[in-house]
Amino acid sequence: MENKKGLNWFFVFIAFTLGLTLIKHIDFKNLTLKEPALDILYIIVFLISIFLIIKDYPKRPKK
């Protein structure tokens, strides 16, 4: 029997929430952040959550 792993919805929720927050905090015209220290932390956690989503995503079987 195969050990199938599904999508980790916890990290998907974290990545989605942080992505929306980052879009609101980044000024694309001047390429600045509203709160630089907090936004850098958001970016780090966002990237880690995306990495964990991709890492745990199941391998598709070849047909």
Side-chain angles (χ1 to χ4, degrees):
M1 186 171 187
E2 283 185 39
N3 185 9
K4 293 185 178 180
K5 290 185 179 180
L7 198 58
N8 193 338
W9 290 103
F10 178 72
F11 291 120
V12 171
F13 178 73
I14 289 173
F16 181 74
T17 306
L18 288 175
L20 289 177
T21 304
L22 285 170
I23 288 173
K24 291 178 184 177
H25 281 217
I26 295 174
D27 180 16
F28 290 103
K29 187 174 181 180
N30 299 326
L31 293 177
T32 58
L33 301 170
K34 283 186 182 177
E35 300 172 15
L38 185 61
D39 291 337
I40 290 172
L41 180 64
Y42 286 165
I43 291 170
I44 291 169
V45 174
F46 177 75
L47 293 175
I48 290 171
S49 64
I50 294 295
F51 172 75
L52 292 174
I53 291 169
I54 293 171
K55 182 186 76 135
D56 289 340
Y57 195 71
K59 304 285 185 204
R60 303 266 180 183
K62 295 181 181 177
K63 290 184 179 181

